[in-house]
Amino acid sequence: MTTAHNTTPQYPFTAVVGMDDLRLALLLNAVSPAVGGVLVRGEKGTAKSTAVRALSALMPAVDVIGGCRFACAPAAPDPGCPDGPHGTGAVEERPTRMVELPVGASEDRLVGALDIERALSDGVKAFEPGLLADAHRGILYVDEVNLLHDHLVDLLLDAAAMGASYVEREGVSVRHAARFLLVGTMNPEEGELRPQLLDRFGLTVEVAASREPDERVTVVRRRLAYDADPAGFAADWAAEEDALRGRIAAARELLPRVTLGDAALRQIAATCAAFEVDGMRADIVMARTATALAAWAGRTDVLEEDVRQAALLALPHRRRRNPFDAPGLDEDKLDRTLEEFGADESPDEATDGDDDPEPDGPDGGPDGGGPEGGGQPPQDGGPDEAPLPPEAELPHQQDREAPQTPQTPEPAPEAEPESAPQGGAAGEKAAVGATEPFRTRRLDVPGLGEGADGRRSRARTAHGRTTGARRPQGALGKLHLAATVQAAAPHQRARGRSGRGLVVRRDDLREAVREGREGNLVLFVVDASGSMAARKRMSAVKGAVLSLLLDAYQRRDKIGLITFRGTGAELALPPTSSVEAGAARLEQLPTGGRTPLSEGLLRAHEVLRVERMRDASRRPLLVVVTDGRATGGPEPVVRAARAARLLAGEGTASVVVDCEVGPVRLGLAGELARELQGTAITLDELRADSVSALVRTVQGNRKAA
């Protein structure tokens, strides 16, 4: 756990260089925790974690009841607190805690743990609080939140929705309050968040390293100074920190007096409707953010500039229609909507038609800005530092609008020559777009795995249906009550049982064996040769692979992409959790040349060998998308068969998506599937609602009967 009172001072918030949107979003949550937290998206090494950790030192101290492990407020203690009733306990003041949730944390570490042995034998609810209890009335920080296991995400969602955490084990339950400011950071290259958790973050910001040499120099200079003498560096920035802390306190005091007028509320509702966000949470978050912006600027009225800034912070992550849409907002559309539904309530405070909510003056520090300063956070300009040159363009001013759906390409004429594009290889055709994605059948790995929790193949997991019991392997997981009682019952007389309680010892405990679903490594091997392009099939093939990528996202898989054409195979995307990167590589894939099928399979064998050493528990699923032809290199058919048998010999589960079309079919993809000891399906059968797949299933059932 990381708290605000470590022996080493945190890096000062006011010393963070640039990142205006991030600092503003964090400060707004400090002013109004009801905004709902911040999700910080950005590349590695951009000081995301540094800025978040620095926030805790600016938060006001909280009063707690002395001795309460659950941080109950003296004025309104939780009536269901496990440490209650509190009576007239002493009141303590402590700094706001910032608790870090590790990506690999266990369920017990997050929600707390019950001593099952004492609960069964003594009837005592012996409860050890978890991180949710520590974070109550503070900050819960999750670094790399997109890599968090699904079962932990579910627990976070429940706590965030109900403001409480429940721990239940075989009829023994404990509840405690858990209201916290949720802050997460993530690198989008490593995969996206589940939509449910994404919506729980009030605001989102994108951060990137500055490309300005002077600003980068300042970042390095300050970091080196902090590493050399953390206490001295913090002392140098103490005055700026105190001033900012005071401004936060003043804004908090002003917040209840801020008026959200009908005109501003109408703009908020119109903006959310215009961007087609789901539900009403966006409207509520925008309203809270706009009032916090007004309080931060020292005003009691919400202006159009506050609504605009609130939209830029609260809507980008809510307007996505599918996982491949990048977050962002069309600012021209936003301005048109605000203008259409706007009506200035305070003409004297209007901004003369300027859409930019930034102050014109250079002073953006804690004491600068004033009522006309909008919602800008403090700027750099600490001791002995020259002010930085103003940024040419802030992140929230950039156009981040992404296309909503893949574009369907127009079919090319049959007589189109296979000319190479500029800079391409001979016989290469330019990339074509994918057809509309569709819902696919579930392709899973046979057998029972033990990989990471997911939604694809059967596996022994910590969550799922109970299939048996076993002695605990390490810390006790989910107790199997019936098996525990059965193990303890024969020994009650020998143990001298005299009361109503069951005499239970550690050796009697049994944990449940559960079966759920795991995520797999789905490795796509895509044929991009001329035979695939000759009949204008590549758009349909890309649409199928895009659909499988979407399915992999929903099932929490890792994915990789190998393409083969011409004389060799290329690892277009090393195994990753980012399906967006896979979709981007797929869209850029050109076609043409011969079909080196064996090279694609051999490259897949090598990739799987390396991944097996990295993560032996994650089982692979090989998806080969081809018409089955092999024309590249010497003895192409023989070499392809050998490569397929090599993969089959290692037990790799395989599916061949047969892309062959036309009245006369050679059935080469089916032959490849037999060599791989896998399954062959056509593009049509890949669809979840495919009639041919249904007919095949019915016929198979009849044969089995």
Side-chain angles (χ1 to χ4, degrees), residues 304-305 308 331 335 338-339 351-358:
E304 181 177 310
E305 64 192 60
R308 186 181 192 278
E331 295 195 32
D335 291 335
L338 293 176
E339 182 178 356
T351 57
D352 298 329
D354 188 0
D355 288 334
D356 190 348
E358 299 180 38

Side-chain angles (χ1 to χ4, degrees), residues 297-313:
R299 288 185 269 99
T300 56
D301 292 318
V302 174
L303 304 182
E304 181 177 310
E305 64 192 60
D306 301 321
V307 176
R308 186 181 192 278
Q309 183 67 66
L312 293 172
L313 293 173

